[in-house]
Amino acid sequence: MRTQVGIIGAGPAGLLLSHLLHLRGIDSVVLEEREEQYVRRRVRAGVLESTTADLLREVGLGARMDREGLVHKGISLHFDGEDHYVDFERLVGRTITVYGQQEVVKDLIDARRRAHGQLLFEVRDTAVHETGSDRPRITFTDAEGRPQELVCEVVAGCDGFHGVSRKSLPQNELTVYDHTYPFAWLGILAKAAPVRDELVYANHERGFALYSMRSPEITRLYLQVDPEERIEQWPDERIWSELHTRLPALAEGPVLEKGITAMRSFVASPLRHGRLFLAGDAAHIVPPTGAKGMNLAVADVWLLASALSELLLHNNSALVESYSDTALRRVWRAEHFSWTMTSMLHRQPGATPFERQLQLAQLRYTASSTAAATSLAENYVGMPLTSPL
């Protein structure tokens, strides 16, 4: 098998990269270890920055998002027993859109199918070879159990934190920045009509909580918990009791899904070795507090698609040479914002009364200062993709 770009991973990063390359006349093959129905169903992030939503519209992927997505003009910070509204539209003239990552993935798969794109699901034993040459190879076993080899001009690693791509870079050339937070999120998806129009981030003495939604019928809710806790320790009744304690009024309903997710920040550098490039969660992880994970992946592949187009169509390597440094500037901005939101909103284990008052002081300042609220709004809705940061 031959193609111009071999893409490992059929998440938002890999699928969008394939779509962007197709629009530029560049062939690609996407390899994914999971079955297609699993990829279509897996629930992940749900907040699209204005820059992400604009890009999806620009490349012909915005129709269903505009019909079904929920446009939010701001968020509420809930502390001191009160809501404090941060009005994004007034402060920076932009909004966010709540539209689940799985919905973006469905739109991308359907678009690639219409364009007869090559999407190979249920592959295994994937390995990357000869990335220092101009003909790197990907070997794998296909869904029928047959060994295969894909010869490419470029390999894009979009296979997430646990994938093979980052491990295929020379480890002695890779610098890793890793931070694990001393708490986790317990998340539920509930069949309950949202009673709020927009997201609520709550700082409570018992811990952080987040009120969000996925549709006019589905609510997404989160609780800060100890990372050592197991989901079996949280029956539905306990979850709802704790949510009512930490959040303003909310409606209950049948719990459709629940799970506990660890919180970490992670960055690998550089994002390139020879003709192997990393994008999305294969390169970096952010805590979900700042709603940056999928949006960073989109920004990565927007940049990478332009760089690969210059390389493959015009034999110009300038953008691929600068890809890692340019992408990492945006990554570190998002890492800092996500760390700031996480630190400001979560109960810190072992925090002294002095440290607790400092946290509340930061929240009060953010809610009362136009300058501080504008900084939060600008970061939350997303910097322009052309911003040098």
Side-chain angles (χ1 to χ4, degrees), residues 21-221:
L21 293 173
H22 165 71
L23 295 178
R24 292 164 167 82
I26 297 172
D27 293 330
S28 65
V29 174
V30 179
L31 307 176
E32 168 59 46
E33 69 172 354
R34 301 283 192 167
E35 64 177 3
E36 181 173 343
Q37 287 309 309
Y38 175 88
V39 173
R40 285 178 174 269
R41 289 194 306 265
R42 57 184 170 191
V43 177
R44 294 291 187 271
V47 174
L48 305 185
E49 296 175 351
S50 65
T51 49
T52 297
D54 288 345
L55 176 62
L56 294 177
R57 295 185 188 100
E58 182 183 329
V59 298
L61 296 169
R64 194 164 72 93
M65 174 190 71
D66 286 333
R67 288 196 309 271
E68 301 177 14
L70 306 175
V71 175
H72 290 191
K73 299 179 180 180
I75 60 171
S76 288
L77 302 177
H78 187 82
F79 62 93
D80 287 341
E82 298 178 355
D83 277 355
H84 305 265
Y85 189 61
V86 181
D87 191 331
F88 296 163
E89 191 170 52
R90 179 181 64 81
L91 291 165
V92 296
R94 290 183 287 151
T95 60
I96 57 172
T97 301
V98 173
Y99 188 63
Q101 175 175 310
Q102 73 275 16
E103 304 306 325
V104 175
V105 166
K106 290 174 191 174
D107 295 341
L108 282 163
I109 291 176
D110 292 343
R112 297 306 298 126
R113 295 287 192 214
R114 289 192 297 271
H116 307 290
Q118 293 192 69
L119 307 179
L120 305 183
F121 291 92
E122 299 179 70
V123 307
R124 54 188 173 83
D125 305 322
T126 304
V128 184
H129 312 272
E130 300 179 48
T131 57
S133 75
D134 60 2
R135 286 292 182 271
R137 299 177 296 114
I138 306 172
T139 56
F140 62 96
T141 303
D142 68 18
E144 285 72 43
R146 298 171 299 193
Q148 300 282 2
E149 179 180 79
L150 178 63
V151 179
C152 323
E153 296 179 59
V154 168
V155 175
C158 306
D159 49 346
F161 182 78
H162 297 289
V164 302
S165 297
R166 188 178 67 255
K167 299 170 187 174
S168 301
L169 271 71
Q171 298 302 293
N172 62 337
E173 297 179 11
L174 200 64
T175 300
V176 168
Y177 306 87
D178 199 1
H179 176 71
T180 301
Y181 295 84
F183 37 74
W185 274 17
L186 187 161
I188 68 166
L189 201 66
K191 189 174 182 181
V195 297
R196 303 288 296 256
D197 293 330
E198 294 169 329
L199 280 70
V200 180
Y201 287 78
N203 177 300
H204 190 273
E205 61 183 11
R206 291 182 62 85
F208 167 80
L210 172 60
Y211 181 97
S212 65
M213 59 291 295
R214 287 295 179 267
S215 75
E217 296 82 31
I218 302 295
T219 306
R220 185 74 162 158
L221 301 138

Side-chain angles (χ1 to χ4, degrees), residues 206 223 229 233-243:
R206 291 182 62 85
L223 288 168
E229 294 201 54
Q233 298 172 266
W234 286 88
D236 294 356
E237 297 77 11
R238 183 186 178 194
I239 293 172
W240 286 115
S241 175
E242 197 64 32
L243 285 167

